Amino acid sequence: MDYGNWKINTGTYDYSIAEANTQYISFDLILRSKAATTLSLGPNSFAIGASEVEGTTEKPDGSKLTGNNVERKSDYGNFSRDAIVGAVRVAFLGFDDTLDADSYSTGTQDDKLNHTPSLLWVPRPDLYLNNNGSDLSTSGWSLNTGVTSGQTFNLQSQAMNDTAYSTYRHQYYNIYNLNNPQDTADVVTDESDYVHISSKDTEGNEYHLNDTVELIRLDKPKTVRENNEEVTYYYGKVRVRIWVEGTDSESRRALSKGKFKFNFDLTTN
């Protein structure tokens, strides 16, 4: 970091690797089925700020994140710190096909983890934290809600300038593709096939995953004995990673200590 921790120094190799369950959440799901099948994440999946939850009805439409009386109100404006959910990312990664069912529960198999995720999910593109032109002030900030896919912003900050910033694109610093110390890393906008955004369900006013996304196959057989019978199950394993993306406009001190949660709609076919 440089400029008083406002900006990432993209021209250096002096960086550390993020640690699982310290800088980001990471856990494995091991699943089984009585028939070989495909595991998918369904459209009823969503992410929600804690202050958006009211009783048993959860509608992540952003309306409960703004106003003078929100929970965990930010010192920077009339909005909730829970809008940090707008900067959250989720990835689902499969494992090398050479693994079998018995090996799934033995160790972490980090060396067998796929590098390209089956799904990289931007769950709350409807939110945009607007510094209104000044990073150096703790006043004058605002939170845009209900942002649509065609809407762009003039993001001017100490960390990044983008005259056509879109909350519906995933951005990251391209550190790992540096070829030599003279190279300079860039902010990369990733619009590849495995990046999925959430879309708004106009009937329920909710942001859900915009379609069903296939994650992994449950196709590794293992026979076990149950009730004095031999039963064959088909296993699969997927790693889930959840983090706050540092290049996102909501990844700011103004939203620190915000709270959020997820609903994963796992389906098979």
Side-chain angles (χ1 to χ4, degrees):
M1 307 289 285
D2 58 18
Y3 196 80
N5 263 17
W6 283 102
K7 185 178 180 181
I8 294 176
N9 184 350
T10 58
T12 180
Y13 277 94
D14 186 17
Y15 58 86
S16 59
I17 304 299
E19 183 180 348
N21 296 313
T22 299
Q23 279 87 27
Y24 63 95
I25 297 171
S26 179
F27 58 91
D28 291 342
L29 292 176
I30 302 174
L31 306 102
R32 70 180 187 180
S33 172
K34 287 188 175 181
T37 187
T38 298
L39 178 74
S40 301
L41 190 68
N44 288 325
S45 302
F46 62 84
I48 188 170
S51 55
E52 295 182 277
V53 179
E54 181 179 358
T56 58
T57 301
E58 300 174 351
K59 293 189 175 183
D61 63 355
S63 62
K64 298 182 185 302
L65 296 176
T66 59
N68 292 316
N69 299 317
V70 295
E71 297 180 38
R72 285 171 291 281
K73 182 178 176 296
S74 173
D75 295 333
Y76 287 58
N78 294 328
F79 48 85
S80 172
R81 298 173 186 268
D82 296 348
I84 189 69
V85 69
V88 169
R89 302 290 187 270
V90 185
F92 291 84
L93 296 99
F95 288 79
D96 190 289
D97 198 52
T98 59
L99 291 177
D100 58 24
D102 285 325
S103 66
Y104 279 155
S105 58
T106 305
T108 61
Q109 288 97 28
D110 288 344
D111 60 329
K112 299 294 185 180
L113 191 66
N114 293 340
H115 294 292
T116 300
S118 302
L119 168 64
L120 197 161
W121 179 26
V122 182
R124 291 302 298 275
D126 59 304
L127 304 175
Y128 175 69
L129 181 64
N130 194 339
N131 68 356
N132 290 303
S134 178
D135 275 342
L136 304 180
S137 174
T138 58
S139 63
W141 294 54
S142 60
L143 179 69
N144 290 68
T145 62
V147 178
T148 60
S149 59
Q151 192 171 354
T152 60
F153 298 90
N154 183 17
L155 174 62
Q156 301 295 329
S157 73
Q158 300 295 331
M160 180 173 59
N161 295 328
D162 189 344
T163 58
Y165 179 84
S166 171
T167 61
Y168 284 75
R169 292 197 300 264
H170 173 65
Q171 296 178 318
Y172 61 95
Y173 278 93
N174 191 22
I175 293 292
Y176 291 100
N177 289 332
L178 294 179
N179 294 317
N180 59 68
Q182 285 70 47
D183 288 345
T184 300
D186 296 319
V187 178
V188 176
T189 299
D190 197 333
E191 299 182 61
S192 57
D193 291 339
Y194 61 84
V195 177
H196 289 252
I197 59 174
S198 294
S199 60
K200 192 170 187 179
D201 176 358
T202 54
E203 182 177 351
N205 203 31
E206 301 177 351
Y207 277 84
H208 289 170
L209 187 69
N210 57 353
D211 54 14
T212 298
V213 183
E214 294 184 0
L215 301 178
I216 57 168
R217 286 284 296 169
L218 307 185
D219 58 3
K220 302 298 182 181
K222 180 179 179 179
T223 300
V224 298
R225 190 165 185 82
E226 293 181 349
N227 299 321
N228 295 320
E229 293 183 0
E230 299 289 325
V231 180
T232 299
Y233 289 100
Y234 294 85
Y235 287 75
K237 182 177 180 179
V238 63
R239 180 161 298 174
V240 184
R241 287 178 171 171
I242 304 173
W243 72 97
V244 175
E245 179 52 56
T247 63
D248 199 283
S249 65
E250 290 78 58
S251 183
R252 311 304 296 272
R253 184 173 297 153
L255 301 181
S256 65
K257 299 182 181 180
K259 299 181 180 181
F260 57 87
K261 73 172 187 175
F262 285 92
N263 180 69
F264 291 149
D265 172 29
L266 298 173
T267 62
T268 58
N269 54 28

